[in-house]
Amino acid sequence: MKRILLGFTALSLLFSCQQNNNTVTTDNTTTEKPASATDVHTYANPSMAKVTHLNWSAIVDFDQKKIMATAEWDIETSDSANEIVFDIFDLKIFEVRVDGVKAKFNVGDFDEHKGKPVAIPITAGSKKVSIAYETGKNARALQWLDAEQTAGKNAPFLFTQSQAILARSWVPCQDSPGIRFTYNATVTVPKNMIALMSAENPQVKNETGVYEFSMPQPIPSYLLAMSVGDVHFKAISDRAGVYAETSLLDTSVYEFADLEDMIKAAEGLYGPYAWGRYDIIVLPPSFPFGGMENPRLTFATPTILAGDRSLVSLVAHELAHSWSGNLVTNATWDDFWLNEGFTVYFEHRIMEEVYGHDYAEMLASLTRDGLVEDAARMLVEVPNDTKLKLELQGRNPDDGVTSIPYDKGYFFLRLIEETVGRDAFDVFLKNYFETNKFKVMTTEDFIVYIKENLLSEEQYTTIKANDWIYKPGIPDNLPEVHSNKFALVNTELSNFTSNGTQPNVELTGNWSTHEWLHFINSLPEGTSTEQLMQLDGWYGFTQSGNNEIVAAWFQPTIKAGYQAVYPRVEAFLVSVGRRKFLTPTYEALLNADKATMANDIYAKARPNYHAVSRETMDKLLGHE
Ligand code: BES
Ligand code: ZN
């Protein structure tokens, strides 16, 4: 089962051959020169002028589906500064003021990924730039949901998704992960709703519909986030809790009951949690991701509410980003593995602390299987995208969101752990977060850092570090994972596939979601519809309430043409907008010559998808 979206098409191939001037060597002996972190996905020129603080006031208008706002930025300038440049995407700018005085501004040409630059003349002494604007119809970060698309069906809902470069579609900003700022906000929303942000948050609705926010720690723009809806709060511990629509609130509190243990485990590993509170908001099912690590307020899909806490590694993942990503941030989207690879590693460590080694090794094994499968396919289709250090110039950074930065990144770090021993690696990581907190990291800086603080040249060479980072494919020293629990599953599976024997009920009665996922993912090519029907009769996979299990089950069943699954496929695709599930399911339909079915379902489902998912599915299904 793929961990995440693979959103590329043949078209991406055309763009994937750009020269990357940071890649100075690909052999294992030469040292790299630290590269300057030029972010090719922003128009901003931070060496001349950059933002330090945002004061945002906004009105959220559900009738017109737009946000009207003023973004007042504190700026820092170089001695020679004569302009400051912001990124925008489909924003209508009404007025710009520099230190209170109305100023001219120049909007440049549109680029399909980057949007437009807004250049504002300033002097070295300028302190504040304020921009009055409203969002457009193509605000890619925003999803405006009608009441019917929510669980309660009585109020509309709005949420943002800023990563990677979508913040510029709701706030004019210097939209680069290397530029950090603190913020305050005043947000006006309809009276039956509450606004929440990646900031200090209210816990109850007020009478006025006006909410104040403050984020005292500096964040990059991709962590700007807001959600507006009819949600309520319940505490899990003193510093952690959950926001959800009423009908999901108790379920969510139950599902995330181990949250405080996870935070303590994370702090025990890599140092104090830096952000004050840690809350989670459970969003409507059209949220395009599993989770998003917005500081102080993780955004989560409701598809992890399995009722048995079996899918909470996602929470461990988003929590881990509070260190890897939110404290130490990838300098550019080419360095995305520094965010996600570290986070998957940290996620697995938290899971091991809280649920034990056997449990964590099941997760690692699923991760490894997914990586090996995805990497093999990508090596043929988009070989350059299988390097840890990505080459995303001229492309949508979303093209880099594949298993590579996540899982190849994870296994590279696991290899380093196995090389130096866990104790030494933990000391290294703790210092890495402490030393580099609130800073950015390039891949090249990381290489220098790890050579200075952990690996000898010889170790660096022996583990083939440069191959891992700069070469396509997976080197031949991919760490092995030994899951005792999966070994038992394998025995039952081979009895079933060779003799049709029903797996031992005493064993299967205790299987977790992960054992079932391994079982389903390991069904051999050519498993027949009769065999699938038999399994469905025993285990009811088609009607499973566990979204990971159903999505995994769609693979062999769609491939085999097992008709009983089709209504469930349709119902699932129409209600869920999480891209990690959509991509493999639509792909399976296409590969099984079910293009008509895929397109009929998509016609019904598309209005419910967030722009991020829609863009990927449009490409996949040829709706350019
Ligand atoms: N930060 C990512 C989501 C993301 C990445 C959004 C790139 C936009 C661009 C988040 O932390 C994430 O990785 N989510 C995963 C969770 C999983 C790996 C546990 C997801 O959504 O599936
Ligand atoms: Zn992540």
Side-chain angles (χ1 to χ4, degrees):
M1 202 33 219
K2 272 173 291 291
R3 169 182 276 283
I4 41 154
L5 154 106
L6 301 174
F8 48 81
T9 63
L11 250 190
S12 338
L13 276 171
L14 291 176
F15 298 105
S16 61
C17 308
Q18 313 266 351
Q19 263 303 326
N20 183 330
N21 50 18
N22 295 340
T23 312
V24 287
T25 172
T26 53
D27 72 55
N28 286 305
T29 48
T30 340
T31 22
E32 301 68 34
K33 74 168 196 297
S36 66
T38 312
D39 177 5
V40 295
H41 292 107
T42 182
Y43 292 107
N45 175 3
S47 62
M48 180 177 290
K50 67 172 187 230
V51 300
T52 57
H53 180 82
L54 167 66
N55 194 357
W56 192 61
S57 28
I59 297 171
V60 178
D61 182 340
F62 278 91
D63 295 329
Q64 298 188 68
K65 299 195 168 155
K66 69 183 182 193
I67 298 174
M68 284 154 292
T70 302
E72 184 186 78
W73 290 99
D74 292 355
I75 64 170
E76 212 173 77
T77 53
S78 75
D79 292 345
S80 59
N82 57 17
E83 66 170 15
I84 184 164
V85 183
F86 292 88
D87 298 299
I88 60 169
F89 190 99
D90 195 29
L91 295 183
K92 188 159 153 198
I93 296 186
F94 298 121
E95 186 183 276
V96 173
R97 286 178 183 264
V98 176
D99 294 323
V101 180
K102 219 170 142 177
K104 288 206 168 68
F105 58 95
N106 180 40
V107 179
D109 291 343
F110 175 77
D111 171 275
E112 60 167 323
H113 306 304
K114 292 195 291 184
K116 294 178 181 174
V118 183
I120 300 166
I122 55 164
T123 64
S126 301
K127 296 276 178 279
K128 274 186 201 297
V129 173
S130 107
I131 305 171
Y133 68 97
E134 68 181 29
T135 57
K137 289 267 169 278
N138 300 316
R140 296 201 279 183
L142 305 181
Q143 190 170 17
W144 299 90
L145 295 172
D146 297 331
E148 301 72 55
Q149 292 165 290
T150 66
K153 312 214 181 304
N154 54 27
F157 206 104
L158 167 69
F159 64 81
T160 66
Q161 169 56 45
S162 296
Q163 197 183 12
I165 56 168
L166 310 183
R168 64 190 70 178
S169 75
W170 65 289
V171 180
C173 58
Q174 295 188 315
D175 202 1
S176 173
I179 304 174
R180 301 179 94 93
F181 54 90
T182 51
Y183 75 88
N184 285 93
T186 306
V187 180
T188 305
V189 303
K191 291 206 170 69
N192 57 336
M193 298 194 201
I194 186 169
L196 302 167
M197 294 190 79
S198 50
E200 269 166 26
N201 273 309
Q203 293 184 343
V204 287
K205 280 182 207 156
N206 66 33
E207 295 293 297
T208 62
V210 180
Y211 295 88
E212 304 279 345
F213 301 90
S214 115
M215 172 41 99
Q217 290 97 339
I219 59 160
S221 54
Y222 79 89
L223 296 175
L224 267 178
M226 182 172 70
S227 172
V228 181
D230 180 14
V231 297
H232 297 267
F233 173 80
K234 269 202 177 172
I236 289 174
S237 70
D238 285 352
R239 58 169 163 179
V242 55
Y243 295 86
E245 289 189 68
T246 306
S247 65
L248 295 177
L249 194 53
D250 289 330
T251 323
S252 303
V253 171
Y254 175 85
E255 208 75 23
F256 305 142
D258 297 331
L259 184 51
E260 179 60 34
D261 288 348
M262 288 186 179
I263 303 174
K264 288 209 175 79
E267 291 189 305
L269 285 165
Y270 303 131
Y273 178 73
W275 304 89
R277 292 192 57 85
Y278 181 85
D279 295 317
I280 302 174
I281 178 169
V282 177
L283 292 170
S286 64
F287 183 56
F289 294 103
M292 178 64 213
E293 66 272 26
N294 298 314
R296 291 177 196 233
L297 184 66
T298 281
F299 282 20
T301 170
T303 62
I304 54 168
L305 301 174
D308 60 2
R309 302 178 184 159
S310 64
L311 303 179
V312 294
S313 61
L314 183 132
V315 172
H317 179 96
E318 304 314 333
L319 172 65
H321 272 305
S322 308
W323 288 257
S324 43
N326 298 4
L327 275 189
V328 185
T329 307
N330 53 205
T332 75
W333 299 113
D334 287 350
D335 306 300
F336 186 50
W337 77 277
L338 293 175
N339 271 21
E340 295 301 343
F342 275 70
T343 298
V344 174
Y345 177 83
F346 196 170
E347 164 200 340
H348 283 86
R349 293 295 305 275
I350 294 171
M351 294 307 284
E352 180 172 335
E353 291 291 315
V354 180
Y355 301 100
H357 181 74
D358 279 0
Y359 191 101
E361 285 303 88
M362 289 197 286
L363 299 178
S365 176
L366 291 168
T367 303
R368 192 180 191 280
D369 291 348
L371 172 63
V372 169
E373 189 187 321
D374 290 350
R377 184 166 65 144
M378 289 176 68
L379 199 51
V380 177
E381 294 175 0
V382 279
N384 283 330
D385 289 349
T386 64
K387 301 173 184 174
L388 281 181
K389 172 86 183 191
L390 296 168
E391 295 162 12
L392 295 167
Q393 180 152 33
R395 304 168 66 191
N396 189 335
D398 207 41
D399 289 357
V401 186
T402 72
S403 321
I404 297 301
Y406 285 80
D407 301 337
K408 184 180 174 186
Y410 163 67
F411 277 102
F412 178 49
L413 296 172
R414 184 166 162 145
L415 174 65
I416 298 173
E417 181 207 302
E418 290 176 5
T419 305
V420 299
R422 182 170 273 193
D423 291 347
F425 194 47
D426 280 350
V427 170
F428 167 81
L429 282 179
K430 197 169 183 173
N431 286 331
Y432 171 78
F433 291 127
E434 177 58 32
T435 311
N436 300 298
K437 65 183 177 194
F438 299 109
K439 293 196 183 132
V440 292
M441 186 63 66
T442 65
T443 300
E444 288 67 32
D445 289 338
F446 172 73
I447 293 171
V448 170
Y449 186 87
I450 201 167
K451 284 182 177 177
E452 278 172 2
N453 294 286
L454 188 67
L455 295 178
S456 67
E457 278 296 335
E458 193 192 338
Q459 283 173 315
Y460 186 88
T461 308
T462 312
I463 64 169
K464 307 181 183 176
N466 277 352
D467 290 358
W468 277 85
I469 296 169
Y470 293 114
K471 285 196 177 164
I474 311 286
D476 60 8
N477 55 351
L478 176 66
E480 296 292 340
V481 177
H482 297 287
S483 165
N484 304 325
K485 288 182 181 283
F486 284 0
L488 299 174
V489 175
N490 292 344
T491 312
E492 298 307 307
L493 179 69
S494 74
N495 286 339
F496 169 73
T497 52
S498 42
N499 322 316
T501 324
Q502 179 171 6
N504 182 335
V505 191
E506 305 212 324
L507 288 177
T508 56
N510 291 318
W511 280 2
S512 65
T513 297
H514 315 295
E515 283 146 315
W516 286 118
L517 286 174
H518 178 67
F519 183 88
I520 295 169
N521 292 344
S522 309
L523 286 168
E525 282 289 312
T527 301
S528 68
T529 50
E530 290 73 23
Q531 287 172 304
L532 293 167
M533 200 189 311
Q534 195 162 42
L535 291 173
D536 215 5
W538 292 331
Y539 307 121
F541 291 139
T542 301
Q543 297 312 327
S544 170
N546 185 305
N547 291 290
E548 291 282 348
I549 290 182
V550 213
W553 178 239
F554 289 160
Q555 292 298 314
T557 51
I558 292 174
K559 194 181 274 176
Y562 175 63
Q563 302 202 0
V565 84
Y566 298 152
R568 182 76 168 103
V569 170
E570 170 159 348
F572 184 92
L573 292 174
V574 168
S575 64
V576 172
R578 185 176 171 190
R579 191 169 63 172
K580 155 182 153 164
F581 293 140
L582 304 185
T583 307
T585 307
Y586 281 111
E587 269 173 355
L589 289 170
L590 295 180
N591 293 337
D593 280 336
K594 290 273 175 288
T596 310
M597 187 189 292
N599 281 295
D600 289 351
I601 297 176
Y602 188 49
K604 288 183 213 162
R606 193 175 183 278
N608 190 41
Y609 295 164
H610 183 277
V612 161
S613 290
R614 234 188 288 132
E615 284 174 24
T616 309
M617 298 314 127
D618 280 355
K619 271 193 214 155
L620 185 67
L621 295 163
H623 287 233
E624 293 294 338

